[in-house]
Amino acid sequence: MPFFGTFFSYNFTKMRGLYYIVLVLLTIKFCSCSGICKENEKTALLRLKKEANDPTNVLSSWVDKEDCCNWEGVLCHNVTGSVIELSINGWDWTELKGLKIDDFQWLSSLDNLDSLDMSGVDLSEATNWTEVINMLPSLVNLRFSNCSLHSIPPLFDHNSSVLENLDLSLNNFGSPIPGWVFSFGGLVSLEFTGSNFTGSFPEGPCNLTSFTTLRASSNSFGSVLPQWLFDLSNLEYLDLSFSGLAGPIPNGVGNLTKLTYLSLASNNLNSTIPNWLYGCKNLETLIMKDNSLEGTVSDSISNLTSLTSIDMSENFLSGKLPSVIGKLWKLEDLDLSENRFEGEVSEVFNTMNDCPPIGSGNCSSLRTLRLNDNKLIGNLPKSFGQLPNLQFCFMSNNRLEGVLTEVHFTNLTNLKFFSASKSNLTLRVSSDWIPSFQASDIVMGGWRLGPDFPLWIQTQQSIMNLDISNAGKVGEVPTWFWNLSSQIRFLNMSHNQLIGEIPTFSISDSSMGSGGPWLIYLSSNNFSGLLPHIPTMVTELDLSDNTFSEGLTGFLCDKKNEYYMLEILHLGGNRFSEEIPDCWMNWPELRVVNLGENKLTGGIPRSIGALSNLKSLDLKRNKLSGPLPSSLNNCTRLWKIDMNENEFDGNLPPWFGTLSKLIVLSLRSNKFDGELAPELCKLNDLQILDLANNNLFGAIPRCVDNFTAMVNGRKEIRDGDDEMDYSYYVGVFRESARVATKGNMYQYDTILSLFTSIDLSNNNLSGNIPMSLTSLVGLRSLNFSHNQLTSSIPRDIDKMKVLESLDISNNQLSGEIPQSISSLSSLSYLNVSHNNLSGQIPVSTQLQSFSSFSFTGNKLCGLPLVERCSKNPEVENEEEEDDNEVEWFYVSMAIGFIVAFWGVSAPLLFIRPWRHAYYGFLDRKWKSWHT
């Protein structure tokens, strides 16, 4: 024992001595001490301070009386006193301005500098920045990140520089990467993130034996991946995400056994997964999301035993999930969502419990699992519940089915987020079940949870997002749940059979500062009574399709001094009556207001004009009346106005033309009168115009070809457009519209942005169909029926190639149906009945397939009508002439025969000498023939 103590004491003393020696050596090299700054280098740095524009005093510590080695950002060698590192952080984020340097002549004195970092310094005027590399022969690290650089020379002789690390990220070069950047013999790393490099990579090969790191994400290369890049055997880190790369991933590449990080995300790569990838045994992070990759994932992925993160989401990968993924025990994050994987979902879980050798860790390190939006089938196996590290699980939008019990969640003690909506799954647990987890997000929309309200939700004290929509819930919501809901940000219990009144919502103190949003979706139930009051920070409220009654005054007007954050208000499909209250100024953030399908009366209040952010206004199928208020023209962001089936009257206001972003305008079945204002033609983005069933008169404006969206087939998508999807959670609340087309009413939502329609039917419009109408080549539905339109159908109607429905019946149109209409191959509904059309129906497979009712009430002939067309008049005349010629031929022949017969026979009968001479002649001839 004394020997071990002496030995330990001796070695400890020895190790401590070595520690001090190392510490002293490090101090000698890297400490900045006073009194050793070289005068010429100090002068150079002071020259920099004098010449630089320094509005935020970045260089305030650079004072002549002080040793420059003590200045901020300056590091000197303790022995020689030379400045060896210079690090200037030039940007002040609080002031949003920073240091500006225009040239680098002062640098020539710092010939021992081996590291220069000027990240954030404005070097936009320093056109000679590349000469820094030659000025500093000892330079190893150069960082010019976020320096407003905008040019880089295509050629540059760097005089055998020893540069190893070059960072030019967050600049704006707008040109290809020059080849000289890859020509430094000792180059280790390059960083080009967000530098707007364009074009192709330099041609290889490149002799980069020490090169380990390339960060070049967020550029605009627009080229293919270079082969030589994957031949760099020492490459460890490669990030080319968001860089506009296209084409296949190179297949026949070298040995990348040292690669630990690979990201090719968000490009347009369109090959299969190359085989060489499965040989990168040190790979820890693999990110290939948001491309067009196809094919399968090979079982050889099991070779990548070092993987901790895989993201191959948003591709076209197919086949079965490789079950061997479950054997990647170091794997923490797996994302295969939004692909086309199929087969049993259970296969990927069954191998997760095949534990590695004893002492090497848990059976599975999986923390995040994303398999949503595929074609997976079957049930989650019981082994799913044996993933103790799982925190985030996304399984929505598959074809899962089966029954899950308490066993499936036994050991999921760390589960925070569980989403498996839109599947045919059933949860069958005991009424006193207490889950082993405390989740913040539970999304089970579409599950069969049974009629009783799930009591286990009461145990989830951290719940913030809950979706149990369309879950078969019946009856009243228990009081304890409404108390719990005070901490919930997203609550979706729509499409159940819940009843009773909803109490006033409140927000818990712990949630007040958590940022929101607070979204409440309780539509399609049987809730009744008065509307509940909501907290001011709620942003989305959908109580549509319930049985709420009475008026809206108590809900909208009670707290006039409150500033509400509500953006979406959907109260349609209830039993509200009375007038719409005039207190919309309390709700300035509203973007969507839907009060349709109620029993509201009176007019639209003027305060509606206070909603400057309003994008969608839906008041359809009420009993509203009067003219439209002029204050509505203040809502210049409106995309949709739907007021059909009310009793509004007056002229269509010309200020509609100021609502330049309007996409849907539906005013059908009201009492509007007057002429169509030409200002309507200013609505370039308009895709659906429905003014049917009113008292409008006059001509159709000839300027309809200004409806640009109906020319292009949809409105132009601009920056910031969100495809008429208003909710914080994409797809939860999407715009919709009821459109009359093909003789029926249809509800459009997900494809609304692709539909175009004009319906002016059942009015008193007169005059011609404007020839400019055929310029709307993107129009899909057109209805001018039941008016007093005259003249003919435009002959160039064949320009409207995508037209699916055409109804111009019950007018006074005349002339023939243009032959060009037969080329409308998309046409599936046609009605030209009850006009003054004449002639033959054009022949085409499509037109003859329509019902005869589409053509009745005209003077038309030909299929599908039973009336057969008479022959062509010119042909008939020719045939009549031929017949006449034949008849006169026979008449002439008969006359000729008669004249000839009587011309010979008459003299023989009536003149005796002629008769005796003729018979004598015949007698002599007879005798001569027999002689």
Side-chain angles (χ1 to χ4, degrees):
M1 190 72 181
F3 170 77
F4 287 107
T6 303
F7 179 79
F8 175 78
S9 176
Y10 169 77
N11 281 279
F12 176 77
T13 303
K14 185 177 180 180
M15 290 175 65
R16 183 170 60 181
L18 288 172
Y19 169 76
Y20 284 124
I21 291 173
V22 172
L23 183 61
V24 169
L25 289 174
L26 291 172
T27 304
I28 288 174
K29 181 168 177 64
F30 296 112
C31 275
S32 56
C33 302
S34 60
I36 61 173
C37 177
K38 288 186 175 182
E39 191 62 30
N40 66 323
E41 295 184 345
K42 180 178 183 179
T43 301
L45 293 175
L46 288 174
R47 177 184 172 187
L48 163 62
K49 179 180 179 181
K50 181 179 179 181
E51 295 178 353
N53 181 4
D54 187 11
T56 57
N57 295 318
V58 173
L59 307 179
S60 59
S61 67
W62 293 19
V63 181
D64 190 11
K65 297 179 181 180
E66 297 289 335
D67 187 342
C68 71
C69 293
N70 292 328
W71 294 352
E72 185 177 352
V74 179
L75 182 64
C76 299
H77 193 286
N78 195 46
V79 175
T80 65
S82 300
V83 176
I84 56 175
E85 290 187 19
L86 183 59
S87 179
I88 304 174
N89 186 1
W91 185 252
D92 189 331
W93 288 103
T94 58
E95 297 289 334
L96 295 179
K97 54 187 177 181
L99 185 68
K100 189 173 186 294
I101 297 175
D102 291 343
D103 69 68
F104 291 99
Q105 295 302 319
W106 54 271
L107 260 180
S108 58
S109 300
L110 306 179
D111 51 5
N112 290 306
L113 196 68
D114 64 28
S115 181
L116 176 61
D117 185 351
M118 289 197 164
S119 299
V121 176
D122 185 352
L123 303 178
S124 58
E125 301 296 327
T127 56
N128 64 334
W129 66 269
T130 51
E131 291 300 326
V132 170
I133 299 173
N134 286 335
M135 285 182 185
L136 304 172
S138 301
L139 191 65
V140 174
N141 304 304
L142 177 61
R143 302 195 181 279
F144 280 176
S145 172
N146 192 25
C147 290
S148 301
L149 297 174
H150 51 78
S151 65
I152 184 169
L155 299 173
F156 177 67
D157 185 2
H158 50 72
N159 298 333
S160 302
S161 170
V162 295
L163 192 69
E164 296 181 2
N165 303 299
L166 176 61
D167 183 356
L168 300 176
S169 58
L170 301 177
N171 287 290
N172 187 23
F173 294 111
S175 61
I177 301 175
W180 62 262
V181 170
F182 291 95
S183 63
F184 298 96
L187 194 64
V188 175
S189 72
L190 289 172
E191 297 196 25
F192 299 146
T193 301
S195 293
N196 193 27
F197 279 117
T198 61
S200 303
F201 278 80
E203 295 183 2
C206 296
N207 186 23
L208 299 174
T209 56
S210 302
F211 193 67
T212 65
T213 303
L214 175 60
R215 291 182 171 92
S217 64
S218 302
N219 283 283
S220 305
F221 294 119
S223 63
V224 297
L225 284 166
Q227 175 78 39
W228 60 264
L229 188 58
F230 295 88
D231 291 330
L232 302 176
S233 58
N234 288 312
L235 195 63
E236 297 177 7
Y237 191 105
L238 177 60
D239 186 356
L240 292 171
S241 58
F242 299 93
S243 290
L245 297 168
I249 301 174
N251 203 356
V253 299
N255 188 14
L256 296 177
T257 56
K258 294 184 179 180
L259 194 65
T260 61
Y261 184 98
L262 174 62
S263 177
L264 301 175
S266 299
N267 286 291
N268 193 27
L269 304 174
N270 56 11
S271 64
T272 57
I273 298 174
N275 290 328
W276 60 261
L277 185 62
Y278 301 119
C280 302
K281 296 185 178 180
N282 288 308
L283 194 63
E284 298 175 3
T285 301
L286 174 61
I287 306 175
M288 305 180 79
K289 66 175 291 185
D290 191 20
N291 280 286
S292 299
L293 300 177
E294 55 188 11
T296 61
V297 178
S298 170
D299 285 345
S300 298
I301 199 171
S302 61
N303 297 333
L304 309 182
T305 54
S306 298
L307 274 173
T308 61
S309 179
I310 299 176
D311 189 347
M312 296 184 182
S313 61
E314 300 178 62
N315 281 289
F316 300 113
L317 299 172
S318 57
K320 294 184 178 180
L321 290 175
S323 59
V324 293
I325 285 183
K327 294 183 178 181
L328 301 176
W329 296 300
K330 293 183 180 179
L331 192 63
E332 297 179 0
D333 304 293
L334 174 61
D335 191 346
L336 299 177
S337 63
E338 298 186 54
N339 278 286
R340 298 175 179 176
F341 289 111
E342 54 191 8
E344 293 283 341
V345 69
S346 59
E347 293 190 12
V348 75
F349 294 102
N350 290 335
T351 55
M352 287 184 178
N353 294 321
D354 297 338
C355 296
I358 296 175
S360 59
N362 292 322
C363 293
S364 174
S365 302
L366 202 63
R367 296 181 308 177
T368 303
L369 176 63
R370 295 177 182 266
L371 299 177
N372 53 284
D373 296 279
N374 279 287
K375 299 178 182 179
L376 302 174
I377 62 173
N379 193 12
L380 294 175
K382 293 180 180 179
S383 54
F384 169 71
Q386 305 302 317
L387 301 174
N389 296 306
L390 190 65
Q391 297 180 29
F392 305 94
C393 180
F394 299 81
M395 295 280 189
S396 298
N397 294 313
N398 279 289
R399 301 171 183 174
L400 305 181
E401 58 183 356
V403 178
L404 275 71
T405 63
E406 300 170 17
V407 177
H408 289 83
F409 299 91
T410 302
N411 291 324
L412 301 180
T413 53
N414 287 300
L415 190 64
K416 302 297 182 186
F417 195 117
F418 180 74
S419 175
S421 61
K422 298 182 181 178
S423 294
N424 193 21
L425 292 168
T426 300
L427 181 64
R428 190 173 296 158
V429 295
S430 61
S431 59
D432 58 351
W433 178 49
I434 300 178
S436 59
F437 54 81
Q438 284 291 318
S440 62
D441 296 72
I442 298 175
V443 182
M444 292 182 168
W447 282 45
R448 296 171 182 166
L449 301 180
D452 297 330
F453 205 87
L455 297 177
W456 56 267
I457 293 178
Q458 190 174 7
T459 68
Q460 301 300 295
Q461 298 301 313
S462 301
I463 192 73
M464 289 192 298
N465 299 293
L466 177 64
D467 182 353
I468 53 172
S469 61
N470 193 25
K473 300 286 100 187
V474 178
E476 290 195 22
V477 178
T479 303
W480 62 260
F481 178 79
W482 294 124
N483 295 332
L484 183 67
S485 67
S486 64
Q487 68 190 46
I488 295 178
R489 297 186 191 178
F490 173 69
L491 173 61
N492 190 349
M493 295 196 300
S494 61
H495 298 278
N496 285 290
Q497 299 179 46
L498 301 172
I499 62 173
E501 296 188 6
I502 300 176
T504 296
F505 285 100
S506 61
I507 299 295
S508 65
D509 294 337
S510 61
S511 299
M512 288 293 287
S514 55
W518 286 269
L519 299 82
I520 302 171
Y521 284 83
L522 302 176
S523 63
S524 300
N525 282 285
N526 290 310
F527 290 118
S528 58
L530 300 177
L531 285 174
H533 289 289
I534 60 172
T536 56
M537 63 281 299
V538 171
T539 59
E540 299 179 23
L541 178 65
D542 186 355
L543 300 177
S544 62
D545 297 313
N546 281 283
T547 56
F548 294 107
S549 57
E550 299 188 25
L552 300 172
T553 303
F555 175 77
L556 292 173
C557 306
D558 265 9
K559 298 182 179 180
K560 293 185 178 181
N561 296 323
E562 297 281 1
Y563 184 92
Y564 287 88
M565 303 299 294
L566 194 65
E567 296 180 8
I568 296 177
L569 175 62
H570 191 356
L571 301 176
N574 280 284
R575 299 176 182 176
F576 296 116
S577 55
E578 304 179 6
E579 296 187 356
I580 300 175
D582 193 11
C583 51
W584 292 97
M585 66 289 294
N586 297 334
W587 308 82
E589 300 298 325
L590 275 171
R591 295 189 299 142
V592 178
V593 174
N594 190 331
L595 304 178
E597 299 182 85
N598 282 287
K599 299 178 181 179
L600 298 170
T601 59
I604 300 175
R606 292 188 57 81
S607 62
I608 200 78
L611 305 181
S612 59
N613 293 308
L614 193 63
K615 289 188 173 184
S616 177
L617 177 61
D618 193 330
L619 302 175
K620 65 176 178 288
R621 305 179 78 175
N622 279 285
K623 297 179 180 179
L624 299 170
S625 58
L628 300 181
S630 59
S631 62
L632 195 59
N633 72 341
N634 296 327
C635 305
T636 56
R637 298 184 180 182
L638 271 167
W639 283 359
K640 169 188 167 180
I641 296 177
D642 189 346
M643 299 181 181
N644 70 65
E645 297 186 49
N646 280 284
E647 298 175 9
F648 292 114
D649 55 30
N651 295 340
L652 293 180
W655 51 256
F656 267 140
T658 65
L659 306 179
S660 59
K661 296 185 177 181
L662 207 59
I663 298 174
V664 178
L665 177 59
S666 180
L667 304 176
R668 84 181 285 122
S669 300
N670 280 282
K671 297 179 180 179
F672 291 110
D673 54 26
E675 297 185 353
L676 291 174
E679 285 80 4
L680 285 175
C681 297
K682 296 180 181 179
L683 303 178
N684 301 122
D685 287 346
L686 198 64
Q687 291 184 211
I688 296 176
L689 174 62
D690 190 349
L691 305 177
N693 302 329
N694 281 285
N695 299 314
L696 302 172
F697 56 82
I700 299 173
R702 296 187 177 186
C703 55
V704 291
D705 54 348
N706 290 335
F707 294 145
T708 309
M710 298 184 189
V711 176
N712 300 329
R714 63 180 301 172
K715 82 179 188 73
E716 180 184 356
I717 301 300
R718 306 181 182 91
D719 292 340
D721 285 354
D722 50 10
E723 289 294 308
M724 304 181 79
D725 199 334
Y726 304 108
S727 178
Y728 177 83
Y729 292 102
V730 176
V732 173
F733 192 94
R734 189 185 295 272
E735 188 59 272
S736 63
R738 295 175 72 246
V739 180
T741 181
K742 302 179 183 180
N744 288 296
M745 294 294 295
Y746 294 93
Q747 183 85 5
Y748 286 88
D749 41 46
T750 55
I751 63 169
L752 178 60
S753 61
L754 301 175
F755 194 75
T756 49
S757 170
I758 296 179
D759 191 344
L760 303 179
S761 61
N762 288 286
N763 282 285
N764 294 309
L765 300 174
S766 57
N768 302 341
I769 297 177
M771 296 298 295
S772 56
L773 181 74
T774 59
S775 300
L776 305 182
V777 295
L779 192 66
R780 296 185 178 274
S781 180
L782 176 64
N783 192 343
F784 287 167
S785 66
H786 294 275
N787 281 287
Q788 299 177 30
L789 300 175
T790 56
S791 190
S792 59
I793 301 173
R795 291 195 173 277
D796 56 352
I797 195 170
D798 57 318
K799 291 181 180 179
M800 307 173 77
K801 297 293 185 183
V802 299
L803 194 64
E804 300 172 5
S805 176
L806 174 61
D807 190 346
I808 49 177
S809 62
N810 291 277
N811 280 284
Q812 299 175 24
L813 300 173
S814 58
E816 297 182 347
I817 299 176
Q819 184 65 37
S820 60
I821 200 172
S822 61
S823 64
L824 297 180
S825 56
S826 298
L827 198 63
S828 59
Y829 181 87
L830 174 66
N831 192 348
V832 298
S833 64
H834 301 288
N835 281 284
N836 296 319
L837 300 172
S838 59
Q840 184 175 0
I841 297 172
V843 178
S844 76
T845 305
Q846 202 138 6
L847 293 179
Q848 270 63 52
S849 67
F850 293 126
S851 167
S852 61
F853 294 107
S854 298
F855 303 95
T856 57
N858 289 286
K859 300 175 183 178
L860 297 169
C861 62
L863 294 176
L865 297 175
V866 295
E867 292 85 354
R868 298 188 63 181
C869 296
S870 59
K871 295 182 180 179
N872 192 314
E874 295 180 0
V875 176
E876 289 182 1
N877 291 335
E878 291 178 1
E879 290 179 351
E880 288 178 2
E881 291 176 3
D882 291 343
D883 291 342
N884 291 337
E885 290 178 4
V886 172
E887 291 173 359
W888 280 109
F889 170 76
Y890 289 112
V891 170
S892 301
M893 189 172 64
I895 294 172
F897 174 78
I898 294 171
V899 171
F901 176 79
W902 288 107
V904 175
S905 302
L908 295 176
L909 290 175
F910 298 106
I911 301 174
R912 179 179 294 181
W914 286 30
R915 184 168 63 250
H916 290 168
Y918 178 69
Y919 287 137
F921 171 75
L922 292 177
D923 185 58
R924 287 192 298 271
K925 286 294 181 183
W926 176 262
K927 289 179 179 180
S928 65
W929 287 343
H930 287 81
T931 306

